Amino acid sequence: MTPYPLLAVTAVPAEAGALRAVLDPALVAVEAVGVGPAAAASGTARLLARGDYRAVVSVGIAGGFAGRAEIGATVLATRTIAADLGAESPDGFLPIEELGFGSSLLETDPALREALAAALPQAITGDILTLSTVTGTAGTAARLGTRFPRAVAEAMEGYGVAVAAAGAAVPFAELRTISNAIGPRDRAAWQLPEAFAALRAAAPALQSLP
């Protein structure tokens, strides 16, 4: 296949279509790999094995923590964190680090992150959580906000993409736009047009990455 300098990975075709509408395919390859960290990891690993990509970015819409990232905002990850990777205990959630089985977080590549921040000066930078089960209650939102004071958003794929990128020794970044506030699940309140408009507006920054 023809090698591309950058791989942008989304969860669903609608996100991929929003990116392809504004990106030059000679500069950025855009692929939808499926929903959730397992699909993201396996799909990204397959793409990286088949192509000569110099970096990979997890891109799509996300939920934002109220007061940290509002609807329509663009967020950039400093770290991607598998927030539900661990075990329950009588004293609360135990992350995988406390179980001695590895790490639940991966840093994004500083050069990619800084280039995206320079191209998107209004973007909010912070941790982005990866969850297999999207938050649907105020209680869970509050607990996550307390556990992760630097978190600005949650999605379902970033950590999986990051694991695949790390395995292939390829730099990784994560860019999201906010469609809804994290908390009680109310699909009617999601503002998808605003999130997709923000995604299309932010996408050209991918073409300027070093």
Side-chain angles (χ1 to χ4, degrees):
M1 66 175 281
T2 302
Y4 292 88
L6 184 76
L7 174 62
V9 175
T10 74
V12 297
E15 293 166 324
L19 298 181
R20 292 187 183 119
V22 295
L23 290 177
D24 183 346
L27 300 175
V28 183
V30 180
E31 298 288 348
V33 296
V35 175
S42 62
T44 303
R46 171 178 52 82
L47 292 166
L48 291 175
R50 292 180 178 180
D52 184 16
Y53 302 105
R54 62 181 177 78
V56 58
V57 185
S58 179
V59 188
I61 63 173
F65 281 94
R68 303 180 189 177
E70 303 304 324
I71 291 172
T74 298
V75 298
L76 304 173
T78 52
R79 302 182 299 177
T80 181
I81 302 175
D84 55 4
L85 185 59
E88 290 185 320
S89 81
D91 296 321
F93 183 80
L94 298 175
I96 196 170
E97 287 88 348
E98 293 188 27
L99 303 176
F101 297 142
S103 175
S104 62
L105 66 88
L106 290 167
E107 299 275 350
T108 56
D109 180 76
L112 293 180
R113 184 173 68 244
E114 290 169 9
L116 285 171
L120 300 166
Q122 302 305 314
I124 299 164
T125 301
D127 294 335
I128 298 180
L129 308 184
T130 296
L131 296 162
S132 296
T133 301
V134 172
T135 300
T137 68
T140 299
R143 286 191 293 273
L144 288 173
T146 299
R147 281 179 56 205
F148 303 104
R150 294 166 52 191
V152 293
E154 71 169 29
M156 301 182 76
E157 294 79 32
Y159 184 81
V161 177
V163 167
V170 173
F172 163 80
E174 184 170 7
L175 182 157
R176 300 277 174 178
T177 58
I178 304 302
S179 61
N180 60 283
I182 296 169
R185 184 171 175 78
D186 180 7
R187 188 64 182 267
W190 290 17
Q191 297 185 32
L192 294 176
E194 289 82 351
F196 276 103
L199 192 63
R200 290 189 293 271
L206 298 172
Q207 297 181 157
S208 64
L209 290 178

